[in-house]
Amino acid sequence: MKKQIKSLSISLLIYSMFVILIGWKLTWFSNQSDTLFSQYGIIEMFKRLFNFFVNDASFSPLREGILLVSFGAIILVSFWTIFLKLRKQLIALIVVDFILSFIILADAIYFRYFEDLISSAVLLQIKQMSSLGSSVGDLFTWKDFLLFGDVLIFIVLLVVLYKKIPHNKNANPALRLATGLVAGAAGAWLFFYPLHDFVEKGGAYLFDKTLSSMRVYEVTGLFGFHGFDTYKYLDEYVLNKKEVSAKDRKDAQAWFQDKNEEPPVQTAYEGKAAGKNLIMVQLEAYQSYVIDKKVNGQEITPNLNKLKKESLYFSDIHHQTASGRTSDAEFSANTSFYPLATGSAYVRFPRNEYDSLPLIMKESGYDTAAFHAYKPGFWNRYIVYPNLGFNEFHSIEDFKKGEQVGWSLGDESFFTQSVDIMKKGKDPFYSFLIALTSHYPYTMPAQYQNLDIDDVGDVNLRNYLQSVHYVDQAVGTFIEKLKKEGLWENSVVVFYGDHDSGYMQANTGSTLFANTKADKLGELEVKDGIPLLMHVPGVDGKEINKAGGQVDIMPTLLHLFGMNKENYHHMGQNLLDDKEGSVVFRYGSVKTDKYYYKAAYDLKLENGTCYDIEKRESVSAETCKPLYDKSIEHLGISDDVIFGNLVELWRN
């Protein structure tokens, strides 16, 4: 009996070390993602757990609650190893340790670029991730692999000491079984009690709507999120495929009817672009903070700076993308709907129908074409574009070889070859171009690095500035080519950024360079800011300081082209009218011309932060309640339309 107890004690000691090590790795991930664990060290975490159990202290779901849930999850996925004899237990723990460490590392790498977690929907886009190639490699550091240091040590010890580890032939299986079941029950309580408490206090909406993976993570912990995400995916797409209820369909239709019944605001710009061609260019990872900026006396974007003076320049525009990134941007710009919280609408719902920009223009007699010098299957574009209303899609297969810069054909060659294709087409036309050169990791061949910035910021910022400067030069060549071919004066030409650079993290060289106001609000404003320029022949240049996003591009263009109709289903606003501007972000935050509401991870109003933009200070969260309500309503309606393919339903 003593040998059995001794053997079990060794097993429990090893198991406890395993739980502590995985807990430390979760803390590491929290530091990487700057989420709630990062407030505590591992010692502080255990102090809080001790205080909760010994002093019967209440806990916050977003503080002590996530600690309990996280350790409960570790135990739940591993308690069964206690049932095994010592040798087999060690082998099992090494395997579990490796799997959990791999999940933590994969989420950390993914978060560094997308600021999100890997969801089941994202895994459907694994082809897109594999195409990132060296971009993914650049997200790693050698320190990341220290996560597997304990696995390696345990493997070495197991090999060296394998014969010395007792076989436990006389071990009492009932004793191990009872101990393991107690551990499993404890893990289940640690995991489910805080979640039950959160739901009982009104948190069920977070799991019902799942507006953001990170919001769920802040309640369930990392492993809990993956468990919930897997369950939700199987439930919605395999067992009980999600359908939009009749009530939600009716509510969504009523919302659009109310929106369309509002009297349209007439402006001096309405119909100014009627009959003109439309050329819209989506610039990769282009942010507004580089516009009109100099570094070491050199203009970063001289051509866009010049164009800005001759165009309608919208100076308070923000990207609204989520994990679909580039595809999210083009989706919102061409449909006026919000992207999905997880995954890309292009991948998850490629055959949906919308009152899209290319479709409306095609119905008005326009020839429509999309241009992108990359693989046609990337983001399912070859499937999506015909459904959106594009007559043609010119992918990498349709371009001649030119300079290789970044992922593919350099933007300068891409732009000039695209013009050659446009001039052979029919008038009027809508051409949608997706640029690519300034894609992460922004490294440029030496011959294209034309800025003298060796003493500026960190290497990441320098790479980014060199890449956007190259793209600006390509834009200049593009404009000259359009003028030469006689297309400039007969075309509305639009440029906008698709998403942030991924380097706008607090206290980095990027933020210090970009942020002219040293406050939290300034960082938020700069982080998601993108340029939006519309050059309209015959219309004088003007800067318009109105809050907006990518869902607003399409309604604004329809106003310019005089193609407004009452029965279109669009979420966005016309940026040219005199109404107050606003932009809803995919994760629940909202910005207007007066306020910025930064949503909390649990999506509760009182846990978010409301900023008065003019005073540049935080105010009561209740002040931003109308913004908060708008974000929940807009995102919910947009999701229902996409999940239920409601536009097609309403058409029929």
Side-chain angles (χ1 to χ4, degrees), residues 363-437:
E363 290 173 346
S364 300
Y366 278 67
D367 190 21
T368 57
F371 300 74
H372 185 46
Y374 203 60
K375 304 170 186 176
F378 200 66
W379 291 122
N380 269 356
R381 288 186 174 102
Y382 74 105
I383 297 175
V384 174
Y385 284 165
N387 283 349
L388 290 182
F390 286 110
N391 291 332
E392 295 179 335
F393 173 28
H394 301 285
S395 67
I396 189 60
E397 299 167 356
D398 301 303
F399 290 88
K400 300 174 184 177
K401 290 184 178 180
E403 80 272 15
Q404 181 80 20
V405 187
W407 277 31
S408 184
L409 186 68
D411 279 353
E412 188 165 24
S413 183
F414 166 63
F415 286 150
T416 55
Q417 290 190 54
S418 295
V419 175
D420 291 334
I421 297 172
M422 286 181 219
K423 70 180 182 181
K424 296 177 183 177
K426 301 175 183 178
D427 288 334
F429 62 78
Y430 166 36
S431 292
F432 178 55
L433 285 70
I434 303 101
L436 186 57
T437 297

Side-chain angles (χ1 to χ4, degrees), residues 106-132:
D107 278 318
I109 298 303
Y110 188 82
F111 186 90
R112 286 172 190 170
Y113 188 77
F114 293 100
E115 295 192 16
D116 203 359
L117 299 177
I118 299 176
S119 66
S120 298
V122 167
L123 291 177
L124 290 176
Q125 303 163 190
I126 196 67
K127 288 184 179 180
Q128 328 303 336
M129 291 298 297
S130 63
S131 296
L132 289 176

Side-chain angles (χ1 to χ4, degrees), residues 195-258:
L195 296 180
H196 173 75
D197 183 74
F198 177 75
V199 170
E200 286 292 304
K201 292 178 179 178
Y205 65 91
L206 181 66
F207 302 108
D208 293 336
K209 288 293 184 182
T210 317
L211 296 179
S212 160
S213 297
M214 290 304 296
R215 304 303 191 258
V216 176
Y217 156 74
E218 289 291 353
V219 176
T220 64
L222 192 65
F223 301 138
F225 162 76
H226 286 295
F228 168 76
D229 175 68
T230 302
Y231 158 76
K232 190 174 182 67
Y233 177 81
L234 292 174
D235 180 60
E236 291 183 353
Y237 298 101
V238 180
L239 302 176
N240 301 295
K241 189 173 182 179
K242 180 176 178 179
E243 294 185 4
V244 180
S245 69
K247 180 182 182 303
D248 287 341
R249 291 198 302 270
K250 185 177 180 180
D251 289 345
Q253 190 167 20
W255 186 89
F256 285 109
Q257 287 175 343
D258 290 343

